[in-house]
Amino acid sequence: MLSLIYSATINGIEANIVEVETYISSGMPVFSIVGLPDAVVRESRDRVAAAMKNSGFDFPSKKITVNLAPADIRKEGGIFDLSIALGILAANGKVKKENLQRFCAVGELSLDGKIRKVKGVLPISLSLQENKIKDFIVPVANKQEAAVAGKVNVFPFKTLVEIVKFINGELNCEPHIYNATDLSDGVGTNHDFADVKGQKNARRAAEIAAAGSHNIIMSGPPGSGKTMIAKRIPGILPPMTFEEAIETTKIWSASGRTFAGGLIKQRAFRSPHHTSSAVALAGGGAYPKPGEVSLSHNGVLFLDEFAEFRRDALEVLRQPLEDKKITVSRSKGSLIFPASFMLIAAMNPCPCGNLGHREKECVCNPYQIKKYQSRVSGPLMDRIDIHVEVPALKFSELATLDDDCENSASIRERVIKAREIQNARFTGNDIYANAQMESKEIKKYCVLDDKAHETFKIAAEKLNFSARSYDKILKVSRTISDLDGSDTIKTNHIAEAVQYRFFDRT
């Protein structure tokens, strides 16, 4: 007897639909799985047999062959347990084969027949739409995620027995519907800019960075507030669009990351330790998996102690900062992962951290300072839009209760207004913020008045900006003018943008 049901496997962050063909024939009782399965898939033989017996079904003492097609795609994980069990039951006459062929089923079986949660359900659901498969059987724990995309009938179950009754028409089950909610409730509120004392220049730079999705690096002594400011930037970013939420959830789902609900509504804030390797940041492994730059897609990647990261780890940031994606090539495959994130970096000005401190003396010699700062390469620093100094605060500034500190909510209102201006400006283009402009858009939209042009010319000649720095300054000045509600870039806008090239000046 032969049966067919669909399942899927994850390749990077995409899903490939797999046909699970089961054939039971007379002969020695052998249970074989073919089609390039990994060790976990091969181990499903024992899980499936135990789950069927403990669910009250007879396990056939015959030759069982399960083919996972196409055969040239690697299959991994316990995601095939459920489809293999249903295929055997159908081939053995316990499940109606004509009903089974319209379903895609995913789930890991426990030995007592319960269905466990699996990863990658959202990418699979999206892939089913493309392949015109409408009925999707999933574990109850995955029902929200599976139903997010819509257009697929999602049937969640807890046990193998329930699924068999449902397919045979003995149990009625309505498709699960995802209750869409307002994405604005996904804005982080745990950290507020009202808690930041002083540092008006750094606060202003953070607002500009959020308004234009610009990368920013902060340099200052330990305890000056760099990390405090960085953690509050996600709270002033605009809410994610539904498309951005789907993209982010897809990456996290395929990576097996835990998240509440069926949809990630809050922009990611990833803060890897400075001992992280290049593979941890970029992604990789024998079969490439997303790294931190992809997990922070549509969100924030915060690298504290920037100069303490390994040189090779920092250099992998070059491609995603420029192209908003990263290509990971390994011997067993090459994949492209999305990596459109906002980089926030923080570093000390020298090894001891006291260079430029108002009250503490720096004990580093010029050679040590130069060597420390050169850990971040020039080309990488050139790709960061905003450089800002965060000086140490005096005791009097810390002890003073500053009631004038603006909270994140009011800053966020200005950021959203600036983003709305940019959305209107870039309608029809695959651009959502000023930081993504290319040369063509810069020439069209970054129009300077005569005085601003003269000011920029003097600054560029004096500080010898690179071509990339030139473009970065124009992008930042465009964002500043958007915050100011101006159609053209004026002298004060370009002057403020120039001052945010701290490392170019030093």
Side-chain angles (χ1 to χ4, degrees):
M1 296 286 288
L2 180 66
S3 68
L4 171 67
I5 187 173
Y6 295 99
S7 188
T9 187
I10 301 299
N11 183 25
I13 63 170
E14 301 297 334
N16 296 112
I17 301 302
V18 175
E19 294 181 4
V20 181
E21 300 173 311
T22 306
Y23 180 61
I24 298 179
S25 59
S26 58
M28 293 291 290
V30 178
F31 188 175
S32 61
I33 300 175
V34 298
L36 209 58
D38 71 347
V40 179
V41 178
R42 291 194 295 270
E43 289 172 354
S44 68
R45 294 174 294 192
D46 299 319
R47 291 193 297 273
V48 167
M52 288 176 60
K53 291 177 182 178
N54 289 323
S55 297
F57 301 108
D58 294 329
F59 188 79
S61 297
K62 297 182 180 181
K63 183 178 180 180
I64 303 173
T65 303
V66 176
N67 179 41
L68 307 177
D72 58 344
I73 297 177
R74 183 174 183 266
K75 322 300 187 306
E76 60 178 7
I79 196 171
F80 295 100
D81 289 4
L82 179 57
S83 56
I84 291 173
L86 292 173
I88 293 173
L89 288 169
N92 200 32
K94 303 298 182 182
V95 173
K96 296 179 180 179
K97 292 192 295 181
E98 61 274 13
N99 294 346
L100 189 67
Q101 296 180 10
R102 66 186 176 92
F103 290 102
C104 174
V106 298
E108 180 182 329
L109 286 172
S110 61
L111 299 185
D112 61 356
K114 293 180 181 178
I115 315 299
R116 288 184 173 143
K117 182 180 180 180
V118 293
K119 69 177 183 179
V121 170
L122 178 56
I124 294 171
S125 183
L126 294 171
S127 184
L128 291 179
Q129 296 178 21
E130 298 172 2
N131 287 272
K132 298 181 180 180
I133 299 174
K134 296 183 178 180
D135 298 315
F136 192 18
I137 296 175
V138 300
V140 169
N142 289 117
K143 65 180 182 180
Q144 289 283 81
E145 182 185 341
V148 162
K151 298 182 181 180
V152 173
N153 299 321
V154 176
F155 300 99
F157 293 99
K158 293 181 179 179
T159 65
L160 179 61
V161 174
E162 291 176 352
I163 297 173
V164 172
K165 289 181 178 179
F166 168 69
I167 296 175
N168 287 335
E170 301 170 6
L171 177 66
N172 185 38
C173 178
E174 294 296 324
H176 177 73
I177 305 298
Y178 177 76
N179 295 320
T181 55
D182 187 4
L183 293 178
S184 62
D185 62 3
V187 178
T189 56
N190 294 333
H191 304 287
D192 198 298
F193 265 98
D195 302 327
V196 181
K197 295 183 179 180
Q199 305 297 5
K200 291 184 178 180
N201 191 48
R203 288 160 58 98
R204 170 66 174 172
E207 179 181 341
I208 295 169
S213 191
H214 300 289
N215 303 314
I216 179 174
I217 183 169
M218 295 177 284
S219 175
S224 58
K226 303 184 297 294
T227 303
M228 191 176 189
I229 292 171
K231 288 182 177 179
R232 281 150 180 78
I233 290 179
I236 63 174
L237 291 173
M240 287 200 289
T241 64
F242 183 74
E243 290 74 19
E244 288 177 329
I246 287 288
E247 289 175 357
T248 304
T249 306
K250 184 178 177 181
I251 295 169
W252 281 59
S253 175
S255 302
R257 303 281 172 165
T258 302
F259 55 92
L263 190 67
I264 295 177
K265 304 175 190 176
Q266 187 170 341
R267 293 188 183 275
F269 181 83
R270 305 291 297 178
S271 181
H273 194 260
H274 64 263
T275 56
S276 299
S277 66
V279 172
L281 290 180
Y287 297 92
K289 299 291 176 66
E292 292 292 340
V293 297
S294 295
L295 293 173
S296 57
H297 182 62
N298 292 322
V300 171
L301 176 64
F302 175 48
L303 301 183
D304 201 4
E305 303 297 342
F306 197 48
E308 300 294 340
F309 279 81
R310 289 169 43 179
R311 184 67 174 260
D312 63 328
L314 291 179
E315 293 306 308
V316 303
L317 296 174
R318 289 196 192 186
Q319 184 195 12
L321 286 176
E322 200 75 15
D323 301 333
K324 304 303 179 183
K325 61 184 179 182
I326 187 164
T327 303
V328 180
S329 298
R330 296 293 184 268
S331 60
K332 295 182 179 180
S334 178
L335 293 171
I336 297 176
F337 297 119
S340 180
F341 58 88
M342 180 179 164
L343 174 66
I344 304 175
M347 63 180 288
N348 297 330
C350 66
C352 78
N354 294 327
L355 181 65
H357 199 288
R358 296 174 180 178
E359 299 173 352
K360 295 181 181 180
E361 183 180 355
C362 176
V363 297
C364 308
N365 61 49
Y367 172 75
Q368 290 174 319
I369 295 172
K370 184 176 181 180
K371 183 180 179 182
Y372 180 81
Q373 293 182 350
S374 65
R375 292 182 182 180
V376 182
S377 67
L380 179 58
M381 192 67 76
D382 218 23
R383 285 171 166 80
I384 301 177
D385 308 42
I386 297 175
H387 310 164
V388 61
E389 185 180 12
V390 186
L393 295 174
K394 294 181 179 180
F395 177 79
S396 59
E397 294 173 305
L398 292 172
T400 302
L401 294 177
D402 190 357
D403 295 329
D404 295 330
C405 287
E406 194 174 15
N407 60 30
S408 293
S410 58
I411 297 174
R412 185 166 174 265
E413 287 180 6
R414 294 197 297 270
V415 169
I416 291 175
K417 287 180 180 178
R419 286 290 185 98
E420 288 173 350
I421 293 172
Q422 294 166 49
N423 289 334
R425 176 184 299 137
F426 302 126
T427 300
N429 297 325
D430 191 21
I431 298 175
Y432 64 84
N434 288 332
Q436 293 184 311
M437 287 191 292
E438 299 292 342
S439 298
K440 181 180 177 181
E441 289 79 25
I442 293 173
K443 185 177 180 181
K444 182 177 180 180
Y445 298 116
C446 297
V447 180
L448 283 68
D449 63 21
D450 293 338
K451 290 184 178 179
H453 186 274
E454 186 62 27
T455 300
F456 190 26
K457 179 181 178 182
I458 294 172
E461 290 176 350
K462 184 176 180 180
L463 299 176
N464 195 26
F465 292 131
S466 68
R468 185 179 282 113
S469 296
Y470 179 91
D471 286 347
K472 297 290 187 186
I473 292 171
L474 288 175
K475 292 178 185 180
V476 173
S477 62
R478 178 69 268 178
T479 300
I480 296 171
S481 63
D482 288 341
L483 286 168
D484 204 22
S486 174
D487 293 331
T488 59
I489 300 173
K490 300 179 181 179
T491 304
N492 59 313
H493 303 148
I494 199 73
E496 185 176 3
V498 168
Q499 78 157 348
Y500 293 132
R501 299 299 297 181
F502 171 74
F503 285 100
D504 289 346
R505 298 200 311 271
T506 55

